[in-house]
């Protein structure tokens, strides 16, 4: 009895000493924390401040309170940009998840040259987005592009790709899918490697078909990883900028103007800093809400 | 027979999986090695015959291409170097303190859209009179590189056994010495991963430089994008330039694929 409490007391001392020590380690973090404060936290606070002004670069700067925010509600262009962003994001989440899952299942098998195949498969996500976007732009050319030639070969009528309002977003999604399916694959491949083998052996004994094994064992066990991939993909698709900016700059007209592009135009084409800052705040709130919602789902699916 | 068919189907699906990646890069290479006549031919010419290096010569003949390449090198190396200097100790500190909340804060940097840093920092750099130098670009790239380094290093230091450092501490080393001479050498593979990833994502970054760079301070992605805007149809030089911009990153990926895969699966990190 007394020895047990002695051990407890000793454990408490060790724990206290560890925490004491921990305090010294704060100095390792301080320089980085200052950099984070300067480059990440300060901009947030300052953005919020700017959003309360009618702040035009090089001319007026007038305090307007929440006027920028109320203006957002009646700004039709912003509303459309928001809807477009959601449309773009939905498509850019669903397809990479499906394809990434298929790819992860295949790369989970052992086969000759697997390492090389996997490296090639992840090249798109490492490549410089601007460089790749330029090649896509050339391929989308309605008259001279290689994609319309390919369509012609298999008997499909040519598409206008990014040159028509109806097809521009699905086309941009195609580029996004090409770009980011590898990240989904890597995340899910990590998940597959961590799955227990017992359920699979039991299923084998019971004579389950591969489809049943996938449906009733792999999918449920993989669910937490799928949700992580879903979260990351959603955030990245909402933030997409490079390829849209390079390929269409929001066009034709404003058919591919997502919030990010709208934001860019307000701030750095019209120099409307106050209004753009209000857009940033709302946009960021939207991202945080979605991320929090998905995190909450993640807690739910955890076995 | 069924086994062979199954194997064939599997091989086919592997080919199907990797062909989009291969074909785009091959098409890029093909465009860069053909003259303008072949590049705009319909039906397209796939194999350059004979291949020509004229497009590359043209890219290098513009003396500003080398300037922009040099800018990119300076920006990526500085942003990575500073991030390592600040981020490796920070990762160590966070791992030792088990400060998961601090780590969570860093994740927020990962989900913030890059543009949202730009408005306030753009104004700040104007007031400070830093526009027209590379400093604003390097500083904003820290937004990408620092979280990557810290994130990768946390998971690496957490995976190290603590006994060796504790032995050093018992022998009278300061915690800084324990970090510098014991933990850091052990974590060298982690530092390599962090270094490679942060370099790649800084090199690839477009959004910060497109806003902050002046005529003399463009990085390569911005410079290449400008080539498209002003010379609509000269696909050869454009593809050559695009390939030159992304070639270092592709080579690095091929050489260090193991480290890159390990780093990416650990954190799901990616540039802003």
């Amino acid at each position: 009895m007394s020895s047990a409490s002695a051990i407890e007391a000793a454990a408490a001392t060790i724990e206290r000493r560890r925490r004491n020590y921990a305090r010294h380690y704060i100095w390792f973090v301080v320089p980085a924390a200052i950099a984070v404060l300067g480059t990440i936290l300060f901009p947030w606070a300052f953005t919020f401040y700017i959003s309360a002004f009618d702040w035009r670069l090089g001319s007026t700067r007038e305090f307007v309170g929440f006027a920028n925010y109320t203006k957002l509600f009646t700004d039709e262009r912003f509303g459309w940009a928001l809807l477009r962003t959601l449309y773009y994001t939905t498509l850019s989440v669903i397809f990479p998840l499906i394809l990434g899952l298929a790819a992860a299942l295949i790369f989970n098998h052992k086969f000759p040259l697997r390492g090389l195949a996997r490296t090639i498969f992840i090249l798109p996500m490492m490549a410089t987005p601007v460089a790749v976007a330029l090649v896509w732009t050339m391929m989308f050319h309605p008259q001279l592009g290689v994609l319309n030639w390919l369509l012609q070969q298999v008997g499909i009528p040519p598409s206008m790709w990014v040159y028509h309002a109806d097809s521009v977003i699905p086309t941009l999604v195609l580029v996004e899918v090409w770009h980011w399916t590898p990240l989904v694959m890597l995340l899910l491949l990590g998940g597959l490697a961590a799955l227990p083998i017992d359920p699979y052996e039991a299923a084998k004994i019971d004579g389950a078909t591969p489809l049943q094994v996938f449906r009733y064992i792999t999918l449920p066990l993989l669910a937490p990883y799928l949700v992580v991939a879903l979260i990351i993909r959603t955030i990245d698709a909402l933030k997409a900028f490079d390829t849209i900016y390079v390929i269409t700059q929001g066009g034709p007209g404003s058919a591919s103007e997502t919030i990010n592009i709208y934001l860019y135009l307000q701030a750095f084409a019209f120099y409307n800093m106050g209004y753009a800052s209000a857009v940033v705040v709302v946009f960021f709130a939207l991202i945080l809400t979605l991320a929090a919602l998905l995190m909450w789902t993640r807690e739910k699916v955890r076995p | 027979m069924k086994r062979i068919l199954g194997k064939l189907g599997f091989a086919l699906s592997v080919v199907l999986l990797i062909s989009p990646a291969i074909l785009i890069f091959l098409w890029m290479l093909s465009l860069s090695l053909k003259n303008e006549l072949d590049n705009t031919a319909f039906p397209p010419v796939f194999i350059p015959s004979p291949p020509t290096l004229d497009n590359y010569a043209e890219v290098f003949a513009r003396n500003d291409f080398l300037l922009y390449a040099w800018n990119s090198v300076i920006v990526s190396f500085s942003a990575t170097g500073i991030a390592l200097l600040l981020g490796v100790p920070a990762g160590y500190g966070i791992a030792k303190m088990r400060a998961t909340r601090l780590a969570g804060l860093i994740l927020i940097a990962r989900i913030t859209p890059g543009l949202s840093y730009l408005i306030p920092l753009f104004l700040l750099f104007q007031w400070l009179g830093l526009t027209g130098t590379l400093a604003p670009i390097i500083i904003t790239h820290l937004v990408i590189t620092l979280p990557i380094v810290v994130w990768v290093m946390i998971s690496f230091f957490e995976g190290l056994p603590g006994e060796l450092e504790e032995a050093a501490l018992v022998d009278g080393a300061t915690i800084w010495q324990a970090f510098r001479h014991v933990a850091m050498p052990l974590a060298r593979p982690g530092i390599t991963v962090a270094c490679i990833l942060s370099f790649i994502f800084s090199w690839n970054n477009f959004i910060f430089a497109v806003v902050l760079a002046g005529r003399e301070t463009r990085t390569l992605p911005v410079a290449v994008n400008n080539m498209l805007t002003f010379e609509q149809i000269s696909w050869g030089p454009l593809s050559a330039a695009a390939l030159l911009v992304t070639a270092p990153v592709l080579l690095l990926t091929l050489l260090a694929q193991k480290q890159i895969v390990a780093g990416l699966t650990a954190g799901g990190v990616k540039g802003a």
Side-chain angles (χ1 to χ4, degrees), chain A residues 156-178:
Chain A
I156 300 173
S159 165
M160 288 300 286
W161 303 106
V162 290
Y163 297 92
H164 193 281
D166 294 335
S167 55
V168 61
I169 290 195
T171 306
L172 288 171
V173 168
L174 174 74
V175 180
E176 179 90 1
V177 170
W178 181 84

PDB file of all heavy atoms in Angstrom, chain A residues 156-178:
ATOM      1  N   ILE A 156     -15.987  11.484 -81.329  1.00  0.00           N
ATOM      2  CA  ILE A 156     -16.744  12.413 -80.486  1.00  0.00           C
ATOM      3  C   ILE A 156     -16.595  13.807 -81.099  1.00  0.00           C
ATOM      4  O   ILE A 156     -15.502  14.175 -81.526  1.00  0.00           O
ATOM      5  CB  ILE A 156     -16.201  12.400 -79.045  1.00  0.00           C
ATOM      6  CG1 ILE A 156     -16.322  10.991 -78.455  1.00  0.00           C
ATOM      7  CG2 ILE A 156     -16.956  13.397 -78.166  1.00  0.00           C
ATOM      8  CD1 ILE A 156     -15.661  10.826 -77.116  1.00  0.00           C
ATOM      9  N   PRO A 157     -17.686  14.578 -81.166  1.00  0.00           N
ATOM     10  CA  PRO A 157     -17.566  15.929 -81.731  1.00  0.00           C
ATOM     11  C   PRO A 157     -16.617  16.773 -80.891  1.00  0.00           C
ATOM     12  O   PRO A 157     -16.549  16.600 -79.666  1.00  0.00           O
ATOM     13  CB  PRO A 157     -19.001  16.475 -81.673  1.00  0.00           C
ATOM     14  CG  PRO A 157     -19.725  15.601 -80.721  1.00  0.00           C
ATOM     15  CD  PRO A 157     -19.066  14.259 -80.779  1.00  0.00           C
ATOM     16  N   PRO A 158     -15.875  17.695 -81.518  1.00  0.00           N
ATOM     17  CA  PRO A 158     -14.897  18.506 -80.782  1.00  0.00           C
ATOM     18  C   PRO A 158     -15.559  19.367 -79.718  1.00  0.00           C
ATOM     19  O   PRO A 158     -16.731  19.726 -79.823  1.00  0.00           O
ATOM     20  CB  PRO A 158     -14.266  19.387 -81.866  1.00  0.00           C
ATOM     21  CG  PRO A 158     -15.216  19.348 -83.009  1.00  0.00           C
ATOM     22  CD  PRO A 158     -15.906  18.025 -82.940  1.00  0.00           C
ATOM     23  N   SER A 159     -14.805  19.657 -78.663  1.00  0.00           N
ATOM     24  CA  SER A 159     -15.327  20.475 -77.579  1.00  0.00           C
ATOM     25  C   SER A 159     -14.675  21.852 -77.635  1.00  0.00           C
ATOM     26  O   SER A 159     -13.610  22.022 -78.216  1.00  0.00           O
ATOM     27  CB  SER A 159     -15.018  19.808 -76.240  1.00  0.00           C
ATOM     28  OG  SER A 159     -15.204  20.712 -75.186  1.00  0.00           O
ATOM     29  N   MET A 160     -15.337  22.847 -77.027  1.00  0.00           N
ATOM     30  CA  MET A 160     -14.740  24.177 -76.957  1.00  0.00           C
ATOM     31  C   MET A 160     -13.855  24.307 -75.715  1.00  0.00           C
ATOM     32  O   MET A 160     -13.235  25.335 -75.490  1.00  0.00           O
ATOM     33  CB  MET A 160     -15.832  25.257 -76.935  1.00  0.00           C
ATOM     34  CG  MET A 160     -16.553  25.454 -78.245  1.00  0.00           C
ATOM     35  SD  MET A 160     -15.436  25.946 -79.575  1.00  0.00           S
ATOM     36  CE  MET A 160     -15.125  27.642 -79.101  1.00  0.00           C
ATOM     37  N   TRP A 161     -13.823  23.275 -74.883  1.00  0.00           N
ATOM     38  CA  TRP A 161     -12.989  23.274 -73.668  1.00  0.00           C
ATOM     39  C   TRP A 161     -13.137  24.569 -72.882  1.00  0.00           C
ATOM     40  O   TRP A 161     -14.243  24.932 -72.531  1.00  0.00           O
ATOM     41  CB  TRP A 161     -11.528  22.984 -74.017  1.00  0.00           C
ATOM     42  CG  TRP A 161     -11.360  21.693 -74.753  1.00  0.00           C
ATOM     43  CD1 TRP A 161     -11.089  21.559 -76.088  1.00  0.00           C
ATOM     44  CD2 TRP A 161     -11.504  20.363 -74.250  1.00  0.00           C
ATOM     45  NE1 TRP A 161     -11.026  20.236 -76.426  1.00  0.00           N
ATOM     46  CE2 TRP A 161     -11.271  19.479 -75.320  1.00  0.00           C
ATOM     47  CE3 TRP A 161     -11.790  19.822 -72.981  1.00  0.00           C
ATOM     48  CZ2 TRP A 161     -11.320  18.105 -75.177  1.00  0.00           C
ATOM     49  CZ3 TRP A 161     -11.831  18.444 -72.837  1.00  0.00           C
ATOM     50  CH2 TRP A 161     -11.607  17.611 -73.932  1.00  0.00           C
ATOM     51  N   VAL A 162     -12.034  25.284 -72.665  1.00  0.00           N
ATOM     52  CA  VAL A 162     -12.115  26.471 -71.802  1.00  0.00           C
ATOM     53  C   VAL A 162     -12.612  27.704 -72.552  1.00  0.00           C
ATOM     54  O   VAL A 162     -12.670  28.791 -71.998  1.00  0.00           O
ATOM     55  CB  VAL A 162     -10.745  26.808 -71.166  1.00  0.00           C
ATOM     56  CG1 VAL A 162     -10.371  25.761 -70.145  1.00  0.00           C
ATOM     57  CG2 VAL A 162      -9.675  26.959 -72.221  1.00  0.00           C
ATOM     58  N   TYR A 163     -12.982  27.547 -73.820  1.00  0.00           N
ATOM     59  CA  TYR A 163     -13.406  28.705 -74.581  1.00  0.00           C
ATOM     60  C   TYR A 163     -14.917  28.872 -74.606  1.00  0.00           C
ATOM     61  O   TYR A 163     -15.439  29.676 -75.338  1.00  0.00           O
ATOM     62  CB  TYR A 163     -12.840  28.633 -76.008  1.00  0.00           C
ATOM     63  CG  TYR A 163     -11.342  28.679 -76.009  1.00  0.00           C
ATOM     64  CD1 TYR A 163     -10.589  27.511 -75.973  1.00  0.00           C
ATOM     65  CD2 TYR A 163     -10.677  29.900 -76.003  1.00  0.00           C
ATOM     66  CE1 TYR A 163      -9.212  27.559 -75.941  1.00  0.00           C
ATOM     67  CE2 TYR A 163      -9.303  29.956 -75.968  1.00  0.00           C
ATOM     68  CZ  TYR A 163      -8.567  28.784 -75.937  1.00  0.00           C
ATOM     69  OH  TYR A 163      -7.202  28.836 -75.888  1.00  0.00           O
ATOM     70  N   HIS A 164     -15.642  28.066 -73.835  1.00  0.00           N
ATOM     71  CA  HIS A 164     -17.091  28.217 -73.793  1.00  0.00           C
ATOM     72  C   HIS A 164     -17.559  28.187 -72.336  1.00  0.00           C
ATOM     73  O   HIS A 164     -17.053  27.409 -71.524  1.00  0.00           O
ATOM     74  CB  HIS A 164     -17.778  27.108 -74.592  1.00  0.00           C
ATOM     75  CG  HIS A 164     -19.229  27.389 -74.830  1.00  0.00           C
ATOM     76  ND1 HIS A 164     -20.178  27.182 -73.866  1.00  0.00           N
ATOM     77  CD2 HIS A 164     -19.875  27.884 -75.902  1.00  0.00           C
ATOM     78  CE1 HIS A 164     -21.361  27.536 -74.337  1.00  0.00           C
ATOM     79  NE2 HIS A 164     -21.200  27.974 -75.573  1.00  0.00           N
ATOM     80  N   ALA A 165     -18.555  29.025 -72.019  1.00  0.00           N
ATOM     81  CA  ALA A 165     -19.008  29.179 -70.638  1.00  0.00           C
ATOM     82  C   ALA A 165     -19.503  27.863 -70.027  1.00  0.00           C
ATOM     83  O   ALA A 165     -19.315  27.624 -68.842  1.00  0.00           O
ATOM     84  CB  ALA A 165     -20.113  30.230 -70.566  1.00  0.00           C
ATOM     85  N   ASP A 166     -20.118  26.991 -70.854  1.00  0.00           N
ATOM     86  CA  ASP A 166     -20.678  25.757 -70.291  1.00  0.00           C
ATOM     87  C   ASP A 166     -19.617  24.719 -69.969  1.00  0.00           C
ATOM     88  O   ASP A 166     -19.786  23.911 -69.071  1.00  0.00           O
ATOM     89  CB  ASP A 166     -21.688  25.137 -71.267  1.00  0.00           C
ATOM     90  CG  ASP A 166     -22.912  26.018 -71.434  1.00  0.00           C
ATOM     91  OD1 ASP A 166     -23.194  26.790 -70.488  1.00  0.00           O
ATOM     92  OD2 ASP A 166     -23.558  25.951 -72.494  1.00  0.00           O
ATOM     93  N   SER A 167     -18.546  24.723 -70.754  1.00  0.00           N
ATOM     94  CA  SER A 167     -17.566  23.652 -70.574  1.00  0.00           C
ATOM     95  C   SER A 167     -16.344  24.093 -69.789  1.00  0.00           C
ATOM     96  O   SER A 167     -15.490  23.271 -69.467  1.00  0.00           O
ATOM     97  CB  SER A 167     -17.142  23.096 -71.937  1.00  0.00           C
ATOM     98  OG  SER A 167     -16.663  24.146 -72.755  1.00  0.00           O
ATOM     99  N   VAL A 168     -16.246  25.388 -69.455  1.00  0.00           N
ATOM    100  CA  VAL A 168     -14.987  25.845 -68.876  1.00  0.00           C
ATOM    101  C   VAL A 168     -14.725  25.246 -67.489  1.00  0.00           C
ATOM    102  O   VAL A 168     -13.604  24.784 -67.210  1.00  0.00           O
ATOM    103  CB  VAL A 168     -14.893  27.396 -68.855  1.00  0.00           C
ATOM    104  CG1 VAL A 168     -15.991  28.023 -68.023  1.00  0.00           C
ATOM    105  CG2 VAL A 168     -13.542  27.846 -68.353  1.00  0.00           C
ATOM    106  N   ILE A 169     -15.740  25.194 -66.634  1.00  0.00           N
ATOM    107  CA  ILE A 169     -15.465  24.681 -65.280  1.00  0.00           C
ATOM    108  C   ILE A 169     -15.163  23.185 -65.288  1.00  0.00           C
ATOM    109  O   ILE A 169     -14.166  22.755 -64.704  1.00  0.00           O
ATOM    110  CB  ILE A 169     -16.586  25.070 -64.299  1.00  0.00           C
ATOM    111  CG1 ILE A 169     -16.488  26.588 -64.075  1.00  0.00           C
ATOM    112  CG2 ILE A 169     -16.478  24.309 -62.989  1.00  0.00           C
ATOM    113  CD1 ILE A 169     -17.229  27.141 -62.920  1.00  0.00           C
ATOM    114  N   PRO A 170     -15.987  22.350 -65.980  1.00  0.00           N
ATOM    115  CA  PRO A 170     -15.595  20.936 -66.040  1.00  0.00           C
ATOM    116  C   PRO A 170     -14.190  20.731 -66.607  1.00  0.00           C
ATOM    117  O   PRO A 170     -13.457  19.852 -66.152  1.00  0.00           O
ATOM    118  CB  PRO A 170     -16.651  20.330 -66.978  1.00  0.00           C
ATOM    119  CG  PRO A 170     -17.833  21.207 -66.818  1.00  0.00           C
ATOM    120  CD  PRO A 170     -17.309  22.591 -66.567  1.00  0.00           C
ATOM    121  N   THR A 171     -13.803  21.574 -67.586  1.00  0.00           N
ATOM    122  CA  THR A 171     -12.463  21.442 -68.150  1.00  0.00           C
ATOM    123  C   THR A 171     -11.393  21.781 -67.122  1.00  0.00           C
ATOM    124  O   THR A 171     -10.387  21.078 -66.999  1.00  0.00           O
ATOM    125  CB  THR A 171     -12.316  22.356 -69.379  1.00  0.00           C
ATOM    126  OG1 THR A 171     -13.356  22.069 -70.293  1.00  0.00           O
ATOM    127  CG2 THR A 171     -10.980  22.155 -70.042  1.00  0.00           C
ATOM    128  N   LEU A 172     -11.615  22.862 -66.361  1.00  0.00           N
ATOM    129  CA  LEU A 172     -10.652  23.223 -65.320  1.00  0.00           C
ATOM    130  C   LEU A 172     -10.594  22.141 -64.246  1.00  0.00           C
ATOM    131  O   LEU A 172      -9.533  21.864 -63.688  1.00  0.00           O
ATOM    132  CB  LEU A 172     -11.027  24.570 -64.694  1.00  0.00           C
ATOM    133  CG  LEU A 172     -10.788  25.780 -65.593  1.00  0.00           C
ATOM    134  CD1 LEU A 172     -11.396  27.032 -64.974  1.00  0.00           C
ATOM    135  CD2 LEU A 172      -9.302  25.991 -65.840  1.00  0.00           C
ATOM    136  N   VAL A 173     -11.744  21.506 -63.978  1.00  0.00           N
ATOM    137  CA  VAL A 173     -11.768  20.407 -63.015  1.00  0.00           C
ATOM    138  C   VAL A 173     -10.902  19.251 -63.510  1.00  0.00           C
ATOM    139  O   VAL A 173     -10.172  18.628 -62.736  1.00  0.00           O
ATOM    140  CB  VAL A 173     -13.218  19.933 -62.750  1.00  0.00           C
ATOM    141  CG1 VAL A 173     -13.235  18.617 -62.000  1.00  0.00           C
ATOM    142  CG2 VAL A 173     -13.985  20.990 -61.980  1.00  0.00           C
ATOM    143  N   LEU A 174     -10.956  19.013 -64.820  1.00  0.00           N
ATOM    144  CA  LEU A 174     -10.126  17.959 -65.420  1.00  0.00           C
ATOM    145  C   LEU A 174      -8.649  18.190 -65.066  1.00  0.00           C
ATOM    146  O   LEU A 174      -7.937  17.254 -64.671  1.00  0.00           O
ATOM    147  CB  LEU A 174     -10.326  17.960 -66.939  1.00  0.00           C
ATOM    148  CG  LEU A 174      -9.443  17.031 -67.757  1.00  0.00           C
ATOM    149  CD1 LEU A 174      -9.897  15.605 -67.575  1.00  0.00           C
ATOM    150  CD2 LEU A 174      -9.471  17.408 -69.231  1.00  0.00           C
ATOM    151  N   VAL A 175      -8.198  19.443 -65.200  1.00  0.00           N
ATOM    152  CA  VAL A 175      -6.804  19.760 -64.870  1.00  0.00           C
ATOM    153  C   VAL A 175      -6.546  19.528 -63.383  1.00  0.00           C
ATOM    154  O   VAL A 175      -5.537  18.943 -62.991  1.00  0.00           O
ATOM    155  CB  VAL A 175      -6.465  21.217 -65.250  1.00  0.00           C
ATOM    156  CG1 VAL A 175      -5.019  21.532 -64.894  1.00  0.00           C
ATOM    157  CG2 VAL A 175      -6.710  21.468 -66.715  1.00  0.00           C
ATOM    158  N   GLU A 176      -7.478  19.971 -62.559  1.00  0.00           N
ATOM    159  CA  GLU A 176      -7.347  19.805 -61.106  1.00  0.00           C
ATOM    160  C   GLU A 176      -7.286  18.314 -60.728  1.00  0.00           C
ATOM    161  O   GLU A 176      -6.506  17.912 -59.877  1.00  0.00           O
ATOM    162  CB  GLU A 176      -8.542  20.491 -60.421  1.00  0.00           C
ATOM    163  CG  GLU A 176      -8.568  20.397 -58.914  1.00  0.00           C
ATOM    164  CD  GLU A 176      -7.852  21.543 -58.222  1.00  0.00           C
ATOM    165  OE1 GLU A 176      -7.339  22.437 -58.925  1.00  0.00           O
ATOM    166  OE2 GLU A 176      -7.784  21.531 -56.983  1.00  0.00           O
ATOM    167  N   VAL A 177      -8.110  17.507 -61.387  1.00  0.00           N
ATOM    168  CA  VAL A 177      -8.126  16.067 -61.117  1.00  0.00           C
ATOM    169  C   VAL A 177      -6.771  15.461 -61.486  1.00  0.00           C
ATOM    170  O   VAL A 177      -6.190  14.673 -60.735  1.00  0.00           O
ATOM    171  CB  VAL A 177      -9.260  15.372 -61.903  1.00  0.00           C
ATOM    172  CG1 VAL A 177      -9.132  13.859 -61.812  1.00  0.00           C
ATOM    173  CG2 VAL A 177     -10.610  15.813 -61.371  1.00  0.00           C
ATOM    174  N   TRP A 178      -6.276  15.854 -62.658  1.00  0.00           N
ATOM    175  CA  TRP A 178      -4.968  15.356 -63.105  1.00  0.00           C
ATOM    176  C   TRP A 178      -3.904  15.717 -62.087  1.00  0.00           C
ATOM    177  O   TRP A 178      -3.033  14.923 -61.763  1.00  0.00           O
ATOM    178  CB  TRP A 178      -4.633  15.979 -64.468  1.00  0.00           C
ATOM    179  CG  TRP A 178      -3.339  15.528 -65.031  1.00  0.00           C
ATOM    180  CD1 TRP A 178      -3.109  14.396 -65.750  1.00  0.00           C
ATOM    181  CD2 TRP A 178      -2.078  16.202 -64.932  1.00  0.00           C
ATOM    182  NE1 TRP A 178      -1.785  14.326 -66.105  1.00  0.00           N
ATOM    183  CE2 TRP A 178      -1.133  15.426 -65.612  1.00  0.00           C
ATOM    184  CE3 TRP A 178      -1.659  17.395 -64.343  1.00  0.00           C
ATOM    185  CZ2 TRP A 178       0.205  15.794 -65.715  1.00  0.00           C
ATOM    186  CZ3 TRP A 178      -0.326  17.755 -64.437  1.00  0.00           C
ATOM    187  CH2 TRP A 178       0.585  16.965 -65.123  1.00  0.00           C
TER     188      TRP A 178
END
